[in-house]
């Protein structure tokens, strides 16, 4: 097996039929293995050691008209490749704003709901994601933060007051809203509230509006 540098990898993907990618960049972020934005495929560096079937699975995953079941199978296939055996992932930096220790049960509940809604609405295709509970969010009920370099989702933050005072069904609406953003990021789509967002939001059964009149404050989902 020959290791590939990014330029050779770009050419290799093109020869396997991958279209619309002008450049491959390598990263060592273990949370999301690959993302596409503006013609740039960002990929975990471990994939330079991947055999051809794994690269072909990535091409199938990224092809625009791949059927959903095929896409899901392709995603499983390239995620099974043990990138860390070849290239150590960068350890996650400690976050300056941590959740309080007492938040663990709420974070566990959000993590469970994420896994369940992922299976129901996203065919289990979304990656696991860290949650944070914030006491500083004022107007927003929830938000996603994007990694500066990779454009992938680093974490989901939830408004503490929202979690405390609102029914859990409302919290799950917020969670689904943020999961649609995660779905956008993981599929190389812009993370916004455009037509694609509204279509997917309706598909998963949430109100597609970004702003939702909420109590007196007019809180919104970010
Ligand atoms: Zn939003």
């Amino acid at each position: 097996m020959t290791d590939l540098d990014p330029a050779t990898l770009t050419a290799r993907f093109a020869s396997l039929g991958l279209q619309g990618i002008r450049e491959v960049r390598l990263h060592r972020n273990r949370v999301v293995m690959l993302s596409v934005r503006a013609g740039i495929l960002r990929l975990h560096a471990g994939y330079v050691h991947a055999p051809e079937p794994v690269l072909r699975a990535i091409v199938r995953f990224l092809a625009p008209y791949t059927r959903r079941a095929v896409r899901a199978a392709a995603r499983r296939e390239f995620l099974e490749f043990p990138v860390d055996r070849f290239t150590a992932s960068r350890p996650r930096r400690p976050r300056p704003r941590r959740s309080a220790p007492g938040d663990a049960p709420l974070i566990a509940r959000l993590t469970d709901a994420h896994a369940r809604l992922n299976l129901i609405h996203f065919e289990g295709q979304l990656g696991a994601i860290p949650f944070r509970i914030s006491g500083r969010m004022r107007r927003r009920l929830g938000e996603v933060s994007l990694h500066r370099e990779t454009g992938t989702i680093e974490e989901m933050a939830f408004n503490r007051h929202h979690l405390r005072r609102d029914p859990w069904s409302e919290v799950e609406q917020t969670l689904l809203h943020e999961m649609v953003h995660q779905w956008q990021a993981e599929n190389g789509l812009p993370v916004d509230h455009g037509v694609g967002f509204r279509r997917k939001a309706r598909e998963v059964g949430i109100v597609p509006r970004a702003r939702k009149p909420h109590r007196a404050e007019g809180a919104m989902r970010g």
Side-chain angles (χ1 to χ4, degrees):
M1 199 186 315
T2 317
D3 299 351
L4 304 167
D5 62 83
T8 314
L9 198 56
T10 307
R12 184 92 185 89
F13 274 123
S15 78
L16 293 174
L18 183 61
Q19 292 176 349
I21 299 296
R22 53 187 169 83
E23 191 184 334
V24 177
R25 290 185 194 163
L26 301 174
H27 64 72
R28 293 196 292 137
N29 160 21
R30 192 72 177 76
V31 179
V32 176
M33 309 308 284
L34 67 84
S35 65
V36 178
R37 178 172 284 203
I40 297 171
L41 168 60
R42 292 179 171 85
L43 192 66
H44 192 287
Y47 284 107
V48 300
H49 309 276
E52 179 162 325
V54 174
L55 299 183
R56 285 192 182 280
I58 291 174
V59 172
R60 279 200 303 283
F61 175 76
L62 293 172
Y65 298 108
T66 302
R67 281 173 33 237
R68 289 212 281 183
V70 175
R71 252 173 81 79
R75 183 173 191 273
R76 274 194 300 275
E77 196 175 333
F78 74 74
L79 286 181
E80 270 169 21
F81 179 72
V83 287
D84 283 317
R85 194 179 298 165
F86 302 97
T87 308
S89 296
R90 195 168 285 144
R92 295 188 67 79
R93 265 166 277 137
R95 309 210 139 268
R97 298 167 298 164
R98 290 194 167 282
S99 295
D103 288 341
L106 271 175
I107 287 176
R109 195 172 179 191
L110 285 167
T111 304
D112 287 351
H114 182 277
R116 181 171 45 79
L117 296 170
N118 189 13
L119 284 176
I120 295 173
H121 296 294
F122 300 89
E123 298 176 329
Q125 291 186 19
L126 301 182
I129 199 132
F131 287 97
R132 184 169 59 83
I133 296 173
S134 166
R136 292 203 234 167
M137 293 165 78
R138 295 178 65 81
R139 285 173 54 78
R140 282 169 185 271
L141 302 176
E143 66 185 10
V144 291
S145 13
L146 295 173
H147 191 280
R148 220 172 284 155
E149 290 153 35
T150 63
T152 55
I153 302 255
E154 280 202 307
E155 67 170 19
M156 278 184 198
F158 276 74
N159 184 317
R160 185 182 301 284
H161 308 293
H162 179 40
L163 293 169
R164 275 201 189 140
R165 75 192 170 189
D166 293 331
W168 187 255
S169 59
E170 281 288 307
V171 173
E172 288 205 354
Q173 290 280 304
T174 304
L175 177 57
L176 270 171
H177 178 112
E178 306 309 333
M179 287 172 79
V180 173
H181 286 317
Q182 183 184 359
W183 170 82
Q184 292 176 313
E186 292 184 6
N187 286 281
L189 302 166
V191 176
D192 61 12
H193 299 113
V195 177
F197 178 89
R198 294 197 293 275
R199 188 184 305 128
K200 190 71 179 175
R202 276 191 293 270
E203 203 181 300
V204 304
I206 54 171
V207 181
R209 279 173 298 144
R211 287 161 194 279
K212 178 177 168 295
H214 194 94
R215 304 280 160 91
E217 291 178 30
M220 59 187 262
R221 299 189 166 102

